[in-house]
Every structure is written in C-alpha cells, then in structure tokens.
Amino acid sequence: MKNDLNLCVIGLGYVGLPLAVEFAKHFPVTGFDIKKDRIKELLSGHDSTLEVEDEKLKSVLGKEPFSDQPSLFLTSEIDHICKCSIYIITVPTPVDKNNRPDMTPMIKASETVGKVLKKGDIVIYESTVYPGATEEDCVPVIEKVSGMKYNQDFFCGYSPERINPGDKLHTVTTIKKVTSGSTPEIAEIVDQLYKKVIKAGTHKAPSIKVAEAAKVIENSQRDINIAFVNELARICAHMGIDTQDVLEAASTKWNFLNFKPGLVGGHCIGVDPYYLAQKAQEVGYHPEIILAGRRMNDTMGAWVAGQIVKLMIKKDILVNKSRVLILGITFKENCPDIRNSKVIDVINELKIFGCQVDVYDPWADGPEVKHEYGVELIPAAKDIIDLAKGYNAIVLAVAHDKFKDLNIQGLNKNTIIYDIKAFWPRESVNARL
C-alpha cells in the first residue's frame, strides 16, 4: 500500500470523522461534509459528537488541500476533493416515517463523487445498506454522472462501519473490519488500506454483497435478541416477577446470551433490520422474525408509559396534569447522540395521558433536541440531588453515570420511580423494566 495516496472521507459524523483522523496519520486525507457548520466546528478543533478528543483532532489538522504529507484537510467545497484517488463514503442510511430505507444520502454522495471521479479511482462505501445496494443503486449513479464504466474506469469497495458511539474501549482501530472489493485485485487494495489503521485486523469478504449482508445481520440479530427479552419483560410484568432476577438466574448457564430489555433506538439496531426486510420483500420473501422483533421493540416506549400510568393510578395519583420527570433522552448512556431515540415514545405517550412531562439530560444538546423532537430540556438544578423534587413520577430512561448522584431515596413516598435501565438499587424504585 503506497503512502502517497490521497484519500477523501465524505460525511464527517460519528463514523467518518474518527476514520478520517486515523487515516490522516498515514495519508493526506480530505474530510468533506455538506454541513458548513460542522466543518467550522471541526476546524476550531472540537468535535461535538465527542468521538474524537480535541487534542487528537488538532494534531492532524492540515491547512492546505492536496498535501503531500499525512494530514486532515476539512472542507465543504467539491473543488477540494477533485484530486483524491480513493473516496470513502460514510453518510447516514436512515429510514423514512414509514420505516422504508431512505437512500437519499447515499445517492447524493454518489453524485458528488461522480462529478470528480477520475480513471482508476476507487469508491468505498461504509454506510449500512441491504445486500446489493452498492452495485445496484450507487454504482449506476456514479456511472451516469461521471460517464465512466464500472470495473473498467473506476472500482468500488465496501467495508461496513462498526462504530459504537460513546464507547472508548471499542473504537474504530480496535474493532475487526470486514472489507471487500469489486474485483479480487481491488479487494486486496481495500483490505491493505484498512490494515494500515485497524489494529484488530481485517476480514476480506469474497464479494461486496457478502460484506453488505454481514453488516446488516449484525444489528438485526441483536435487535431480535433484545425483542425476545422485551417480550419476557412484558410477561414478567403480568406475573409479578422481576425481569432482572430472571435474567440473573438464567445467566448462570454458560451459553445463555445475557441481553437486557430496553428502548431500542440509535442509528443502527433500530434501523438496519428494515433495510434487510425491504430487500427480502423485493426478492419475494416476507421476513417473519425480523419484522416481529421490530414490532416488539418499536412498541416498548408506549408500553412503558402505560406501566407508569398504572402505577400512578394504584397510588391514587391523578394522571391528568401530573408532573413527570424523564431522565435522559440520548439513545444510550454517556453519549450525546440523540438519533432515533425511543425515549420520545415514552414522552409522547405520557402526554397523551395528560401528563406534564419535563426532560433532563446533561449529555444532550438542547437546541438539537428541540429541533429533532420539539422537546425543551430543563436546566439542571444547582444540586442534582434536588432536581427530582416536586414530581409525581420519575422515569430513569438513560443510564448516564451522572444520575447515580440523584437522591431518589429522599423523595416523597408517593412519587412513582420507574427504572427502565435497572440502574438504581431495586429497593429504591417502584418498578424496573
């Protein structure tokens, strides 16, 4: 693998930025993003996703495009990426309001690359998609815009992202990477490229479709397993059994898979199964288990809200106009990522019951939450111990470490405490998922 390659990473979010920073230690890298505010933020040396530390980002930043030295040049101008030879696309792959795959970001990124592509260039996709998306949906766009022929004038690879937002142990370099290419020769080039930065090593898949399928089933499998324990939690609630006690007992068997019930959000687990289901239906197969798991997990927020309301009724708390405090709105703990957070389902359902809901999250960005979900975060009290006073119900939705300091034992005995994450001591709460 030559060290004089010019790389371009398109999409500088949770996936693209950490990858671009690592590659910039070995190659000249241009980081491209259509969001000018994101580029401005990164040029100041700060990453609001907190995936890359400020000092680490500043250490690789370059000031000129097309450098001959390893560095990271950041831009939103297409002219600054025209001399690159390898383009790595790391844009989001969301679903629409009907849970159908939205390939718009991938198509737009492919059009951008098509405008600057040169003969011999390689386009590598990292975004999670259904099998066939790279060659059946994206390649034709590149061919149309560039006027070039696939596997003659330009080539493609697919190396699915395995970023776990907020995880400082399993980072981009410490997670084994699946690679693939449109020809055996390109597959080897792609594999050697990633070996430069992936300390955990790589696995070269025999085709792009295999790599695409491998990625999409990773999260689909996890989604189904969580759906199973979510159903278990519902059964246990009807039987008056503590779900966590059941899981703790079952975990004593050596081959038991210790999944936890909860709200399944985020940009991967709650989205990727729909990509696989869509492709399955297109080829004539209706997936049963995948969609059943999605239905179970997508309805957990409303079910949790219903459980909270039942507890309030049992304590003779007037549900209509009751005050409820939701702790946490990010999709996971100790992370600012609010994408596809299912906490909003709990909030909206409680509002339907007439509850007055306040939300507090020390990790989330207030304006972003307001824009995405229409929810105003409340400011923190001077002392977090006093934060929860005056509410009829407290709901622990996200297990941020900062919530350990909350003095729930000092609350009014009539206050309902519902712990979705089984985060607090069992004796301190009315119920937990």
Side-chain angles (χ1 to χ4, degrees):
M1 177 57 57
K2 297 178 181 179
N3 287 322
D4 59 352
L5 294 174
N6 269 283
L7 275 58
C8 175
V9 176
I10 297 178
L12 299 175
Y14 284 85
V15 175
L17 182 65
L19 185 69
V21 168
E22 292 302 325
F23 272 129
K25 297 175 183 178
H26 304 273
F27 306 101
V29 178
T30 302
F32 178 88
D33 200 296
I34 60 173
K35 297 178 180 177
K36 296 183 184 296
D37 288 345
R38 176 63 169 163
I39 295 298
K40 183 178 179 181
E41 170 193 281
L42 296 177
L43 285 173
S44 73
H46 177 66
D47 169 29
S48 60
T49 71
L50 305 182
E51 289 302 302
V52 177
E53 297 85 359
D54 290 357
E55 289 305 313
K56 188 175 182 180
L57 174 59
K58 292 175 183 177
S59 70
V60 297
L61 286 180
K63 296 182 179 180
E64 298 293 334
F66 317 124
S67 171
D68 58 358
Q69 298 295 323
S71 63
L72 175 60
F73 177 75
L74 301 169
T75 185
S76 57
E77 302 294 331
I78 193 171
D79 291 344
H80 289 151
I81 66 174
C82 63
K83 293 184 180 179
C84 296
S85 53
I86 296 181
Y87 296 87
I88 303 175
I89 295 176
T90 62
V91 296
T93 44
V95 292
D96 64 17
K97 63 180 181 179
N98 297 312
N99 291 322
R100 293 175 300 197
D102 180 3
M103 291 288 287
T104 303
M106 291 277 280
I107 299 304
K108 293 294 185 183
S110 299
E111 290 174 349
T112 297
V113 170
K115 294 175 183 178
V116 296
L117 206 64
K118 306 177 301 303
K119 285 193 175 184
D121 287 353
I122 301 173
V123 185
I124 304 171
Y125 290 88
E126 286 218 359
S127 308
T128 303
V129 290
Y130 43 74
T134 298
E135 294 171 294
E136 296 167 15
D137 297 321
C138 298
V139 163
V141 173
I142 297 176
E143 287 185 318
K144 181 180 179 179
V145 174
S146 69
M148 291 192 281
K149 190 71 174 174
Y150 178 51
N151 277 343
Q152 291 182 18
D153 302 317
F154 73 95
F155 306 88
C156 281
Y158 183 78
S159 182
E161 58 90 359
R162 280 177 167 169
I163 293 292
N164 187 25
D167 191 336
K168 300 306 179 184
L169 178 62
H170 302 97
T171 60
V172 62
T173 63
T174 62
I175 303 173
K176 196 163 188 174
K177 200 86 159 68
V178 174
T179 65
S180 64
S182 55
T183 70
E185 294 79 13
I186 296 301
E188 181 62 20
I189 290 173
V190 173
D191 193 62
Q192 291 299 321
L193 174 67
Y194 280 98
K195 279 182 177 178
K196 274 282 190 179
V197 296
I198 306 299
K199 298 175 183 177
T202 60
H203 173 87
K204 186 166 61 173
S207 70
I208 286 176
K209 280 188 177 181
V210 168
E212 290 170 328
K215 169 56 181 176
V216 80
I217 70 163
E218 290 175 15
N219 291 323
S220 297
Q221 181 189 66
R222 186 166 175 80
D223 190 46
I224 292 166
N225 279 312
I226 297 173
F228 171 72
V229 292
N230 274 338
E231 187 164 54
L232 170 67
R234 294 192 186 195
I235 294 170
C236 287
H238 280 285
M239 300 176 68
I241 303 172
D242 188 292
T243 309
Q244 301 301 324
D245 287 345
V246 175
L247 294 175
E248 185 178 340
S251 296
T252 59
K253 190 168 185 282
W254 79 93
N255 61 350
F256 180 79
L257 301 178
N258 192 21
F259 285 86
K260 302 291 186 183
L263 305 175
V264 185
H267 68 301
C268 286
I269 300 177
V271 172
D272 296 354
Y274 287 120
Y275 275 77
L276 185 56
Q278 173 74 18
K279 190 62 177 181
Q281 290 168 337
E282 286 180 5
V283 297
Y285 180 79
H286 180 75
E288 301 284 352
I289 296 175
I290 293 171
L291 291 179
R294 277 285 77 229
R295 284 192 295 272
M296 173 59 65
N297 289 338
D298 274 348
T299 58
M300 281 304 291
W303 182 83
V304 165
Q307 295 299 108
I308 295 165
V309 168
K310 288 178 182 179
L311 289 169
M312 294 170 71
I313 292 172
K314 286 180 180 180
K315 284 211 171 188
D316 294 323
I317 298 173
L318 184 64
V319 176
N320 189 33
K321 295 184 179 180
S322 60
R323 297 190 66 216
V324 179
L325 176 63
I326 303 287
L327 296 175
I329 197 171
T330 61
F331 93 88
K332 64 182 295 187
E333 66 278 0
N334 305 319
C335 173
D337 195 347
I338 65 166
R339 290 175 296 172
N340 195 33
S341 171
K342 292 303 178 181
V343 179
I344 192 64
D345 294 348
V346 181
I347 296 169
N348 289 340
E349 191 72 11
L350 287 172
K351 287 182 177 179
I352 290 173
F353 280 107
C355 301
Q356 297 177 359
V357 183
D358 288 336
V359 183
Y360 172 65
D361 194 316
W363 279 88
D365 178 71
E368 185 182 6
V369 173
K370 176 67 175 177
H371 177 267
E372 188 70 21
Y373 300 114
V375 172
E376 291 272 6
L377 296 183
I378 64 170
K382 291 183 179 179
D383 188 342
I384 195 170
I385 293 175
D386 297 325
L387 179 67
K389 291 181 179 179
Y391 288 96
N392 300 109
I394 311 294
V395 182
L396 190 286
V398 186
H400 293 319
D401 287 342
K402 293 180 180 180
F403 293 151
K404 289 179 180 178
D405 297 330
L406 193 61
N407 184 21
I408 56 174
Q409 294 178 335
L411 296 175
N412 188 307
K413 290 184 178 180
N414 287 328
T415 301
I416 296 297
I417 302 174
Y418 193 96
D419 188 353
I420 293 176
K421 301 296 291 185
F423 183 65
W424 289 322
R426 178 174 51 185
E427 62 274 10
S428 301
V429 303
N430 296 93
R432 56 184 186 172
L433 191 58

